[in-house]
Amino acid sequence: VWEFMKQQRFFGMIIPRQYGGLEFSAHAHSSVVMKIATRTISAAVTVMVPNSLGPAQLLLHYGTEEQKALFLEPLVSGRWTGTMCLTEAHCGTDLGLLRTKAEPTAEGTYRITGSKLFVSSGEHDLAENIVHIVLARVPGSPPGTKGISLFIVPKFIPAEDGSIGERNDVRCGALEHKMGIHGNATCLLNFDGATGYLVGEENKGLSYMFTFMNFARLGTGLQGLAHSEFAFQNSLAYARDRLQMRSLTGPKNPDGPADPIIVHPDVRRMLLTQKAFAEGGRALIYFASTQGDILTKSDDPEARELANHVLSFLTPIIKAFLTETGFESANLGLQCLGGHGYVNEWGVEQNVRDARISMLYEGTTGIQALDLLGRKVLGTRGKALAPVTDFILDFCKRSRSRKELRPYLKTLVRLTRQWKSLTRKIGFAAMRNRDAVGAASVDYIMFSGYVLLGVAWAASARAAYRRLEQGTSEEAFYRAKIQTAEFYFAKILPRTTTLLQTMSTGPDPLMKMDEKQFMF
């Protein structure tokens, strides 16, 4: 797997050519990653091999010319790999609590001392060197998140010509025994006065890291999508082949002892749910990638600003919603195989275990939800929401000439208006009780995801109708798009009704109980 990834230049797809990259657009990058992750190897390929792309992206943005010259090409080529050393045993997501120290030296470097937890691919022998990106505090730094700096700490200290030098004082303290992603060595790293190189300015490390984190969150959303696709492909193949019972409407395989289970309504419910999440999620990823291309390549400053707002808004939704639905799809994939799915010979139980981590790392679903509702929506007094709802309403207006879509468009207009009014309601409630934000946030981000996926399916149906009118040799493909859209609007999108109801109940049902009462 590792050699395949290096041959495909996986880690340099969006890095400039001068550093050995391919300089792909974000849209093309998403296409290649989805093909690799869902078809070529496995759903969890992005977490089964060391990751160099994130550290390379970070150094490209904030590293000095000397740092770029020394570290980028080896990272892009896969000769060296990278890690992200953020949290510590007592921190979790609250990085303001971190204690790792960075003491300046007379040589202009820093001595890094402390321990980092949950470091993916923190120790292995697949590459010549491992480049750790580490958050730490310099002496006299402000408390909390304002006093965090960012450092490059290589496993082996490279010489100026890039050759491997002496071993740095960073060691693997323990391997973490995980529920899934066993192909990736996640570990605890101990830094004992290790040599580190400052990235950018002191005390700005967390803002630098969020450039990478937002990129990683989109990648994690893509991983969730891959789990949906992997589940769908495997359960579909099984459902077409597995014979069990007869159809309620009469035999569909009269020459056989039983019918394939794909004829049963409940199996179709599970298959169509996976298909709707996988293909709808793919459309959502492509839309986000397009915003990334506009942001980085457009000559129109207004277009870039709008794309930046939309991409910022979409990032927590893509991360949270596509990983939650990816895990749901993985579970449905196991369910389609019944008892055979629960044993490891078929591989679908691994998909369930591997999918579970995606809802945790790069910020849990709850953290993404607070970011969306608290910081991006209410924090801007709804200004971050406006471009997205305006886009949806404009899409509905432009599409209403096609009568087949009108029921979908009517639903989307209603939900978009409810989205706006719901946001105002939560905002007013939060003025009286700040817990109103936390109580509604996860339901809010899932509601947002379902609505956006509805737009993706309406747009897919519109494109399918157009292609069928124009004439195509792939008629079955486009009719399947239309029928999946019909399923999504009939069977999945109504989940928003429940979410609207639960959000309207406020924080009291959650917060009234005294903590001691939980014991009774």
Side-chain angles (χ1 to χ4, degrees), residues 92-113:
T93 306
D94 191 354
L95 294 176
L97 299 176
L98 70 84
R99 299 170 185 158
T100 299
K101 298 184 297 184
E103 297 175 304
T105 70
E107 292 78 25
T109 60
Y110 290 76
R111 280 192 291 270
I112 312 299
T113 303

Side-chain angles (χ1 to χ4, degrees), residues 68 113 280 296 417 456 464 506:
K68 293 176 187 178
T113 303
T296 56
R417 289 173 177 166

Side-chain angles (χ1 to χ4, degrees), residues 84-160:
M84 187 167 63
C85 301
L86 306 182
T87 195
E88 300 169 11
H90 58 282
C91 286
T93 306
D94 191 354
L95 294 176
L97 299 176
L98 70 84
R99 299 170 185 158
T100 299
K101 298 184 297 184
E103 297 175 304
T105 70
E107 292 78 25
T109 60
Y110 290 76
R111 280 192 291 270
I112 312 299
T113 303
S115 295
K116 293 293 182 179
L117 197 67
F118 304 146
V119 181
S120 297
S121 300
E123 182 57 71
H124 59 80
D125 57 4
L126 292 173
E128 299 172 2
N129 204 356
I130 304 175
V131 180
H132 303 295
I133 305 296
V134 183
L135 291 179
R137 295 184 181 281
V138 298
S141 61
T145 57
K146 293 181 179 180
I148 297 175
S149 300
L150 189 67
F151 299 89
I152 304 167
V153 185
K155 177 180 177 180
F156 293 97
I157 300 173
E160 290 184 5

Side-chain angles (χ1 to χ4, degrees), residues 210-485:
F210 267 103
T211 299
F212 173 37
M213 287 288 286
N214 285 328
F215 182 81
R217 285 169 176 171
L218 290 170
T220 305
L222 199 154
Q223 180 194 334
L225 165 63
H227 288 296
S228 290
E229 178 68 28
F230 184 83
F232 175 59
Q233 290 183 24
N234 282 272
S235 51
L236 175 62
Y238 184 85
R240 297 179 67 186
D241 184 64
R242 171 74 170 178
L243 302 181
Q244 192 167 309
M245 301 189 298
R246 290 293 187 187
S247 167
L248 297 176
T249 56
K252 300 299 186 291
N253 178 34
D255 296 331
D259 289 332
I261 63 173
I262 197 171
V263 305
H264 303 309
D266 188 56
V267 173
R268 290 194 166 219
R269 171 189 65 83
M270 293 187 284
L271 291 173
L272 281 166
T273 299
Q274 295 169 70
K275 183 177 176 67
F277 287 149
E279 296 179 10
R282 188 176 302 133
L284 191 56
I285 287 282
Y286 282 143
F287 178 74
S289 299
T290 301
Q291 304 310 303
D293 287 339
I294 294 171
L295 176 62
T296 56
K297 300 182 183 300
S298 175
D299 295 327
D300 184 346
E302 291 186 2
R304 289 200 305 270
E305 183 179 4
L306 177 60
N308 186 42
H309 284 306
V310 173
L311 186 59
S312 176
F313 183 87
L314 289 176
T315 296
I317 298 173
I318 286 174
K319 195 282 178 185
F321 183 77
L322 293 187
T323 58
E324 291 283 344
T325 55
F327 185 62
E328 179 180 345
S329 295
N331 273 305
L332 291 175
L334 190 153
Q335 190 74 10
C336 280
L337 272 69
H340 290 285
Y342 198 68
V343 296
N344 61 22
E345 283 82 358
W346 293 84
V348 294
E349 55 82 33
Q350 179 188 340
N351 194 35
V352 177
R353 290 187 287 104
D354 291 346
R356 189 62 185 85
I357 185 65
S358 64
M359 298 138 72
L360 302 177
Y361 58 21
E362 313 302 346
T364 64
T365 298
I367 292 296
Q368 305 302 321
L370 285 173
D371 176 48
L372 175 68
L373 179 56
R375 192 167 69 89
K376 288 177 176 164
V377 176
L378 299 181
T380 64
R381 298 189 177 184
K383 290 181 181 178
L385 177 62
V388 177
T389 54
D390 288 348
F391 169 83
I392 297 172
L393 295 174
D394 181 63
F395 165 80
C396 293
K397 183 178 180 180
R398 289 185 287 106
S399 305
R400 63 188 179 191
S401 59
R402 184 168 292 282
K403 63 180 181 180
E404 300 95 337
L405 294 180
R406 287 175 189 167
Y408 303 162
L409 303 177
K410 183 179 179 181
T411 298
L412 289 174
V413 169
R414 173 178 57 80
L415 287 172
T416 302
R417 289 173 177 166
Q418 289 175 320
W419 196 358
K420 295 165 73 174
S421 62
L422 169 72
T423 302
R424 288 192 294 270
K425 181 179 179 180
I426 296 172
F428 286 130
M431 292 179 184
R432 300 187 300 271
N433 184 349
R434 295 292 295 275
D435 279 334
V437 178
S441 58
V442 170
D443 289 346
Y444 187 93
I445 204 169
M446 295 303 292
F447 177 91
S448 305
Y450 285 121
V451 173
L452 289 172
L453 213 66
V455 178
W457 273 113
S460 297
R462 184 179 68 172
Y465 278 119
R466 186 183 300 124
R467 289 301 298 272
L468 289 170
E469 286 179 352
Q470 294 169 348
T472 174
S473 60
E474 298 178 298
E475 183 174 337
F477 172 83
Y478 289 105
R479 293 208 177 278
K481 289 290 185 185
I482 293 168
Q483 289 162 2
T484 307

Side-chain angles (χ1 to χ4, degrees), residues 26-42:
H27 196 283
H29 173 252
S30 295
S31 298
V32 174
V33 173
M34 277 192 276
K35 183 176 181 180
I36 292 173
T38 62
R39 299 182 187 278
T40 311
I41 303 171
S42 79

